[in-house]
Amino acid sequence: MSRVELTNPDQITDERAETLAQIKGAFGVVPNMFKAVAHSPAALQSMWAQFGALGKGALGAKLGEMVAVAVADQNRCDYCLSAHTMLGKKAGATAEEMSDAQNGKSDDPRAAAVLALATVLVEKRGQIADADVQAARDAGLSQEEIVETVAHVALNVFTNYVNVALDVPVDFTRVALTR
């Protein structure tokens, strides 16, 4: 049971209604995470805007979802792991690619470099070394891709913490954590 009541999007008529309508348009329903976050108009707007901005970024949707599952597994967030596994497959990833990403791995060199940076960011709570950034550069990541990886990690830590701290019920096909 969630530690906060899940809002009913059909009963919201203030500034949150438009954002929730956009979310419903994207998913066909309003996922429980957004129902929980909707208690705060600022948090809801922030989360949805970040998803929108990063979805159009240099990493692309597929790689963004791969980062999301790697971060979710490290943070033991089964909600986000389940949601982003489904979203990754919708973005063109195979089940094997998403499973590998969950463990911070990829056969694609660019994806492997992004996942390596993302996982070290979570492991070290952002306190990474110059060598960690240099490894990303040496693997061919641009400054834009490095900064965007940090942004993806930050967004996913936010959503992981919302779902874990508030014990939001998973409303996607559940994927098992590996950690």
Side-chain angles (χ1 to χ4, degrees):
M1 175 122 189
S2 182
R3 293 182 178 131
V4 296
E5 183 179 325
L6 300 179
T7 61
N8 182 341
D10 296 331
Q11 295 178 349
I12 294 176
T13 59
D14 60 17
E15 70 269 20
R16 300 169 294 168
E18 182 179 336
T19 303
L20 289 167
Q22 291 171 6
I23 292 165
K24 186 174 183 177
F27 289 95
V29 297
V30 176
N32 286 341
M33 176 182 71
F34 294 106
K35 291 177 184 177
V37 172
H39 286 288
S40 166
L44 178 66
Q45 182 181 8
S46 170
M47 183 183 285
W48 187 240
Q50 288 176 66
F51 277 124
L54 290 174
K56 296 181 253 177
L59 295 186
K62 177 181 167 181
L63 187 48
E65 298 302 338
M66 293 169 74
V67 169
V69 298
V71 173
D73 201 69
Q74 284 187 283
N75 285 326
R76 302 198 44 76
C77 181
D78 59 346
Y79 188 100
C80 289
L81 177 60
S82 301
H84 290 288
T85 296
M86 182 270 302
L87 292 169
K89 290 175 185 174
K90 279 189 164 187
T94 65
E96 183 179 356
E97 286 175 311
M98 293 309 289
S99 179
D100 287 348
Q102 181 179 348
N103 294 301
K105 307 290 182 207
S106 176
D107 290 336
D108 174 73
R110 178 174 173 258
V114 168
L115 291 168
L117 179 58
T119 56
V120 76
L121 281 161
V122 175
E123 287 168 8
K124 295 182 179 180
R125 296 182 181 185
Q127 301 295 318
I128 62 174
D130 291 345
D132 297 315
V133 176
Q134 190 59 50
R137 286 188 181 119
D138 291 348
L141 296 186
S142 68
Q143 292 185 97
E144 179 181 12
E145 292 168 317
I146 291 169
V147 170
E148 203 168 293
T149 300
V150 175
H152 273 278
V153 169
L155 170 57
N156 284 286
V157 167
F158 172 32
T159 63
N160 292 174
Y161 283 16
V162 164
N163 290 299
V164 172
L166 301 180
D167 197 20
V168 176
V170 177
D171 50 352
F172 297 90
T173 301
R174 194 175 291 272
V175 174
L177 294 163
T178 62
R179 297 178 195 261

